[in-house]
């Protein structure tokens, strides 16, 4: 039965989802290739819903900070798009890759232009361009997240950053390869440092649901100023829908029906334009790098509420 949700009924929906998730036996495995994430308990679960006016509802571990990882790619994309507009798309595409998020395969065939901003190669290009524009890509990102979430305590997890830097050979290869095609402006070591710091942000479901609310407000920030045009906000949401969950984007769109962006820390941000933003966290991942419980929870949310872009 579909429940047409008003703000007063978000909480019971979240509580029902949490209760159902608690009875789910298979929860996946944490990202063991990043040592700092490998010890996370895959049965942890939190979920938050933020309304456009800043009201937040949550359940479970929704106030627990976790490693945001690739979810930050949504925010860096928005910050660069706000600065460069359509010029950005000369350097990165908007198509699903169909390959793992750290694949090198397509870059050689496509002259160093990554398929989309959410695979690692594309995110490196976006971070590079933000660093050129701002002088401190990770700092610009952190300032934005603090302002939009209302949490000045957000910061980088130095242990996670060091762990990723020590196991970042594939990202270094991607960056050097794109640099050979002239698609990277900054020195590769500088870019890699900015990129791992960006991915090491620690934030909670509440923080991220609030921070992403500008996409539900069609580009308008928490203070009422406009970051993106309405058309640009649509573009970000569209790329999230088609490319935001690695090479499982089709299945995610089929099951959930919302723009979403996942990270290997177990977080997923999703957007219902005009209505709300969501963030769910559970560290156990499937073979494609998406949170098992997180996808299931978002699937149940759209089923129970009838909120979808379709």
């Amino acid at each position: 039965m579909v429940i047409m949700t008003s703000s007063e009924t978000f909480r019971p929906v979240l509580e029902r989802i949490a209760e159902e998730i608690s009875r789910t036996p298979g929860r996946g495995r944490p990202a063991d290739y990043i040592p700092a994430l490998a010890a996370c308990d895959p049965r942890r679960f939190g979920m938050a819903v933020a309304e456009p006016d800043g009201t937040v509802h949550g359940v479970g571990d929704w106030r627990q900070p976790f490693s945001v990882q690739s979810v930050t790619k949504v925010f860096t994309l928005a910050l660069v798009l706000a600065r460069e507009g359509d010029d950005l798309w000369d350097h990165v595409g908007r198509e699903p890759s169909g390959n793992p998020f750290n694949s090198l395969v397509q870059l050689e065939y496509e002259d160093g232009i990554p398929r989309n901003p959410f695979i690692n190669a594309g995110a490196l290009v976006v971070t590079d361009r933000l660093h050129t524009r701002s002088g401190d890509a990770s700092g610009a990102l952190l300032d934005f997240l603090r302002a939009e979430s209302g949490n000045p305590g957000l910061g980088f997890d130095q242990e996670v950053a060091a762990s990723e830097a020590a196991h970042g050979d594939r990202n270094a290869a991607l960056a050097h390869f794109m640099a050979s095609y002239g698609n990277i402006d900054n020195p590769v070591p500088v870019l890699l440092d900015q990129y791992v710091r960006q991915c090491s942000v620690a934030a909670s479901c509440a923080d991220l649901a609030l921070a992403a609310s500008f996409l539900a407000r069609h580009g308008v920030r928490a203070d009422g100023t406009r970051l993106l045009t309405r058309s640009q906000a649509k573009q970000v949401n569209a790329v999230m829908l088609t490319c935001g969950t690695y090479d499982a984007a089709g299945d995610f769109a089929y099951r959930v029906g919302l723009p979403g962006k996942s990270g290997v820390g177990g977080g997923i941000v999703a957007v219902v334009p005009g209505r709300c933003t969501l963030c769910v966290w559970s560290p156990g991942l499937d073979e494609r790098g998406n949170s098992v419980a997180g996808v299931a929870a978002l699937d149940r949310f759209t089923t129970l509420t009838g909120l979808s872009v379709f």
Side-chain angles (χ1 to χ4, degrees), residues 117-133:
F118 295 148
I119 56 175
N120 285 18
L124 284 163
V125 168
V126 173
T127 298
D128 178 66
R129 301 197 69 75
L130 181 58
H131 193 65
T132 297
R133 292 280 185 169

Side-chain angles (χ1 to χ4, degrees), residues 148 213-222 224-230 232-234 237:
E148 298 306 293
S213 289
F214 72 97
L215 291 171
R217 293 189 293 263
H218 308 293
V220 176
R221 296 185 59 168
T225 61
R226 181 168 287 281
L227 175 70
L228 302 176
T229 67
R230 193 179 182 95
Q232 288 172 330
K234 178 197 71 175
N237 281 326

Side-chain angles (χ1 to χ4, degrees), residues 30-268:
D32 53 10
Y33 58 91
I34 301 174
L37 301 182
C40 292
D41 180 358
R43 298 199 62 83
R44 298 291 294 272
F45 175 81
M47 189 171 184
V49 180
E51 298 181 70
D53 66 0
T55 302
V56 189
H57 313 267
V59 70
D61 299 311
W62 68 298
R63 295 286 191 186
Q64 173 64 41
F66 62 90
S67 187
V68 175
Q69 295 294 311
S70 289
V71 176
T72 59
K73 295 172 183 177
V74 172
F75 303 102
T76 53
L77 172 61
L79 289 171
V80 174
L81 193 58
R83 290 165 165 81
E84 296 196 350
D86 286 346
D87 289 348
L88 169 63
W89 305 120
D90 293 334
H91 302 272
V92 62
R94 302 186 295 271
E95 296 293 337
S97 71
N99 287 307
F101 59 85
N102 59 355
S103 174
L104 288 133
V105 172
Q106 288 168 330
L107 281 176
E108 186 167 11
Y109 293 107
E110 298 177 357
D111 299 325
I113 305 296
R115 275 289 178 96
N116 66 71
F118 295 148
I119 56 175
N120 285 18
L124 284 163
V125 168
V126 173
T127 298
D128 178 66
R129 301 197 69 75
L130 181 58
H131 193 65
T132 297
R133 292 280 185 169
S134 68
D136 181 7
S138 58
L141 167 69
L142 188 61
D143 288 346
F144 181 81
L145 292 175
R146 286 172 170 172
E148 298 306 293
S149 68
N151 182 0
L154 292 183
F156 304 111
D157 186 321
Q158 301 300 334
E159 180 186 1
V160 170
S163 181
E164 291 199 61
H167 296 81
D169 291 337
R170 179 65 66 94
N171 286 334
L174 291 166
H176 281 293
F177 193 82
M178 291 186 293
S180 75
Y181 281 93
N183 201 22
I184 296 294
D185 292 337
N186 295 282
V188 169
V190 173
L191 170 58
L192 293 173
D193 178 66
Q194 288 289 322
Y195 182 74
V196 298
R197 283 170 61 78
Q198 165 190 316
C199 290
S200 75
V201 170
S204 70
C205 291
D207 294 325
L208 292 176
L210 285 167
S213 289
F214 72 97
L215 291 171
R217 293 189 293 263
H218 308 293
V220 176
R221 296 185 59 168
D223 64 2
T225 61
R226 181 168 287 281
L227 175 70
L228 302 176
T229 67
R230 193 179 182 95
S231 178
Q232 288 172 330
K234 178 197 71 175
Q235 292 168 3
V236 174
N237 281 326
V239 177
M240 288 173 68
L241 180 68
T242 58
C243 307
T245 46
Y246 309 121
D247 54 335
D251 186 63
F252 185 84
Y254 177 85
R255 291 182 61 185
V256 177
L258 294 175
K261 181 70 195 86
S262 61
V264 297
I268 307 175

